[in-house]
Amino acid sequence: MVAVALLAVFVLLAVGCRKADDKPKGADPAPKTGETGKQGGTTPEPEKKPAKTTMTVLLYGEPDTLDPIYSMGIPEKNILVNVGEGLFTISKNKEIKPVLAESYKVIDELTWEFKLRPGIKFQNVQPLNAAAVKFNYERTQADAGKMNKWAGDINIKSIEVVDELTFRFHTTDPTPHMLARIADDHYMMEPSHVKSKTPEEVARQPIGTGAYKLKEWRAGDRVILEANENYWGGKPTIKEIVFRFIPEEGTRIAELEKGNADIVFKVSPDSIPLVEKIPTAKVLSGMGGRRVYLGIRNTPENLPTAKKEVRQALNYGVNVASIVKNILSDKAVRLLNPILPPNQKPDLPKYEYDPEKAKQLLAQAGYPNGFSVKLDAFLGATLKDREFLQAIVDDYRKIGVEVTLNIMEKAAFGQALKDRKNSELYLHTAGAGFDPALDVRNMRPDHPNNGHQFTPPEFLEGFEKIRTIVDPKLRQEWSYKLQDVMSDGAPWVFLWMEPEVYGVNKGLNGFTPQGDEHLRVFYPITGDIITLE
């Protein structure tokens, strides 16, 4: 009965069948060169240019690491999603699809059994087996400082190898978000390679099971991937992917215009007309799930921001609607809560711009004349960050809060959060989790990105409930309660959901933005196969 109840949850996730019967078919066969006509002759087709086999992608920054248990940013994940694979993935229509896993079953509420596809090998020809999966997940348990706590996110207590291709996750609690979490970014790395290298070498030399393998990393310039001709899913259509690192958006667009790029990441809304004017380019866009927010530090207790009234005032004090309209060209959507649709509670209250109410709340908290704070940020990860940060500073000055911008390098910013040495405010983003528990995973008290440390008892209770309750109706009730706690407690200044906009070579086919900011170049299991004319 427990297994039946658990499986009912995943009908909502649209996993479909429990066994992956359809194997990847690779790229479509080449078109016929002619067609026999009624008189016995052939109608010749127009001569086609040979397909391009090298694709150039312009990212806004360089990866900090290509070790998946440390990777956090979009540059890292867009390279790793092509080098490595996880047990499951999320398809274009938000279905959870098996990748390295062939099937799974729920033994009981604390035991999940998975069976791997046979015959898969890592890029160094070592076999993917149950022991390799066990190694990868246990690696995230070994050090409390690991950036990505895969095992902790899915409540793993122990991992049992049943046979060469079968393993079991034994969990401390029921885990309704199991498949959604392991479908996100749990890329398997080859164990003997990891064991034989230093952490620094592993960070720059990933070996996964994906369609592409690392060819070269030129620090400060580019990462080059080459096709894995022994890929279990077929032969990749694009033979080489060049990821170049160009922080300046104008330079990225200029490279697209010159024909030196096929995909440009992070096109701001006001740059869309520039791309549309390029005869050889087009714009691809969709509403992304990346949440942009200001984290508000809750500790120590003597900070002004430790008071709920102050955090609420900071929400009322930012004219988000004006920023969205005038700086983001009305392309962003107001963020109401860390938990996103379709799991968001209907009719959540919105912090409308109200500077007078903000002043009243500050006075109520004991700061009638305001106070001064710092706001930490690193630039380039969010659209129009310089412009909207200045607008926020100006808005806060109107309610008596003097903000000093503290612009940092990305690595220093991340380390400050991890060490809990961040300032009272910090600009951050979080990608969509497609599950209420995953939307708040970076609010876990020990998460490295949790610089706000929002820990009232009612939050901690709700946080645990949505991670452990299996019954869909009861889980939704607790999710709604948790959302009320977060809306009222205001651990963030809720800003907006950022649009996902790309500038693309018109000859590029097969890429559709799907809200997770991942560029899958050759992923036949989900139908993601990019080609270039």
Side-chain angles (χ1 to χ4, degrees):
M1 291 300 291
V2 172
V4 172
L6 278 163
L7 288 173
V9 177
F10 301 111
V11 173
L12 299 175
L13 292 173
V15 177
C17 62
R18 292 167 61 187
K19 184 175 176 65
D21 296 321
D22 51 331
K23 297 202 178 219
K25 298 179 176 62
D28 292 335
K32 297 177 181 179
T33 56
E35 182 181 13
T36 303
K38 290 182 179 179
Q39 304 302 318
T42 60
T43 303
E45 293 185 355
E47 186 177 343
K48 294 184 177 180
K49 294 180 180 179
K52 289 176 62 178
T53 59
T54 297
M55 182 173 75
T56 300
V57 181
L58 304 189
L59 298 172
Y60 60 83
E62 183 171 10
D64 292 328
T65 176
L66 290 180
D67 184 341
I69 71 169
Y70 287 102
S71 70
M72 298 294 287
I74 296 173
E76 290 91 340
K77 291 186 178 182
N78 274 281
I79 295 172
L80 282 169
V81 75
N82 292 291
V83 172
E85 295 168 307
L87 300 172
F88 291 78
T89 194
I90 298 173
S91 70
K92 295 176 183 178
N93 57 1
K94 304 300 183 288
E95 289 183 349
I96 295 177
K97 290 271 194 179
V99 183
L100 299 180
E102 182 178 64
S103 62
Y104 79 95
K105 62 182 177 181
V106 181
I107 305 299
D108 57 49
E109 65 178 9
L110 300 180
T111 309
W112 294 68
E113 182 175 283
F114 299 87
K115 182 175 287 292
L116 297 169
R117 295 178 188 269
I120 296 178
K121 293 184 177 181
F122 288 98
Q123 291 149 0
N124 62 354
V125 306
Q126 294 299 310
L128 171 75
N129 53 30
V133 175
K134 177 181 170 74
F135 169 82
N136 275 270
Y137 278 93
E138 287 185 343
R139 188 170 170 238
T140 71
Q141 292 176 308
D143 182 352
K146 291 288 185 282
M147 292 296 281
N148 290 319
K149 299 191 176 185
W150 298 354
D153 281 347
I154 51 177
N155 303 323
I156 286 180
K157 179 181 179 181
S158 63
I159 304 169
E160 173 190 359
V161 173
V162 177
D163 59 37
E164 183 70 8
L165 296 177
T166 308
F167 60 94
R168 290 177 176 176
F169 286 161
H170 297 279
T171 64
T172 57
D173 298 283
T175 308
H177 57 285
M178 173 69 76
L179 298 186
R181 182 65 187 103
I182 63 179
D184 189 1
D185 56 7
H186 293 188
Y187 309 120
M188 298 295 107
M189 294 289 110
E190 201 281 304
S192 67
H193 170 73
V194 175
K195 293 175 184 177
S196 65
K197 302 293 183 181
T198 66
E200 293 75 20
E201 290 171 328
V202 172
R204 299 187 71 83
Q205 301 171 21
I207 292 182
T209 61
Y212 293 89
K213 55 187 179 180
L214 182 70
K215 178 180 180 180
E216 183 180 3
W217 185 343
R218 300 180 198 169
D221 181 31
R222 67 190 63 194
V223 162
I224 303 173
L225 304 183
E226 62 183 350
N228 174 12
E229 296 298 339
N230 297 314
Y231 179 52
W232 64 275
K235 291 192 179 296
T237 46
I238 300 295
K239 300 304 179 183
E240 187 171 86
I241 312 171
V242 180
F243 291 93
R244 294 173 58 197
F245 320 131
I246 301 179
E248 301 81 13
E249 181 190 9
T251 305
R252 295 198 298 273
I253 292 175
E255 288 294 283
L256 180 66
E257 185 171 16
K258 294 174 185 175
N260 296 333
D262 298 300
I263 298 181
V264 172
F265 270 66
K266 290 281 184 184
V267 173
S268 59
D270 60 354
S271 295
I272 290 175
L274 298 177
V275 176
E276 291 176 333
K277 289 179 181 178
I278 300 173
T280 57
K282 60 186 176 182
V283 173
L284 293 180
S285 65
M287 180 41 60
R290 180 154 295 275
R291 296 153 289 170
V292 181
Y293 64 92
L294 298 183
I296 310 175
R297 187 162 183 155
N298 281 242
T299 59
E301 292 183 358
N302 63 336
L303 288 178
T305 51
K307 293 188 176 183
K308 181 175 74 172
E309 295 83 1
V310 169
R311 298 194 300 273
Q312 291 176 338
L314 292 173
N315 272 278
Y316 284 116
V318 176
N319 194 342
V320 174
S322 175
I323 293 173
V324 168
K325 179 181 179 180
N326 298 309
I327 297 178
L328 297 174
S329 304
D330 264 338
K331 299 296 184 181
V333 174
R334 179 66 192 269
L335 180 67
L336 302 182
N337 200 273
I339 295 179
L340 298 179
N343 300 303
Q344 193 170 85
K345 181 182 178 182
D347 303 319
L348 272 173
K350 183 189 298 184
Y351 284 97
E352 301 285 4
Y353 180 53
D354 191 338
E356 291 307 314
K357 187 166 186 176
K359 291 177 184 178
Q360 291 170 11
L361 286 165
L362 290 177
Q364 184 180 331
Y367 299 98
N369 300 315
F371 54 86
S372 299
V373 292
K374 285 185 178 180
L375 194 167
D376 298 342
F378 71 92
L379 300 178
T382 51
L383 297 174
K384 311 297 286 186
D385 43 18
R386 289 183 185 275
E387 291 91 336
F388 76 68
L389 281 170
Q390 188 56 54
I392 289 173
V393 170
D394 293 343
D395 282 343
Y396 281 153
R397 184 173 294 118
K398 296 172 186 175
I399 64 171
V401 176
E402 290 294 328
V403 177
T404 300
L405 290 178
N406 180 32
I407 305 303
M408 309 170 71
E409 294 296 323
K410 181 183 176 184
F413 177 90
Q415 192 64 45
L417 284 182
K418 183 178 177 182
D419 295 339
R420 307 297 186 244
K421 293 181 179 179
N422 52 283
S423 298
E424 298 94 332
L425 301 176
Y426 60 95
L427 174 65
H428 215 296
T429 69
F434 305 105
D435 179 274
L438 302 184
D439 278 341
V440 296
R441 67 179 181 264
N442 68 346
M443 300 181 75
R444 191 182 66 224
D446 63 344
H447 194 284
N449 282 347
N450 184 351
H452 53 74
Q453 291 297 295
F454 180 70
T455 57
E458 59 270 26
F459 170 80
L460 296 177
E461 181 183 23
F463 183 86
E464 284 304 311
K465 292 290 187 182
I466 65 170
R467 296 177 70 249
T468 56
I469 289 177
V470 173
D471 178 79
K473 184 177 180 181
L474 185 58
R475 188 173 189 241
Q476 184 186 70
E477 290 176 3
W478 274 102
S479 173
Y480 286 179
K481 289 179 184 178
L482 180 63
Q483 291 177 58
D484 285 337
V485 170
M486 293 187 293
S487 290
D488 181 62
W492 299 353
V493 175
F494 304 113
L495 297 178
W496 50 80
M497 289 184 289
E498 190 172 81
E500 197 174 326
V501 186
Y502 304 85
V504 177
N505 177 345
K506 279 185 176 177
L508 184 141
N509 300 297
F511 173 52
T512 302
Q514 59 188 57
D516 64 356
E517 303 163 302
H518 284 178
L519 173 66
R520 297 170 175 87
V521 178
F522 189 79
Y523 236 75
I525 203 78
T526 60
D528 293 285
I529 299 174
I530 291 179
T531 59
L532 273 172
E533 298 174 0

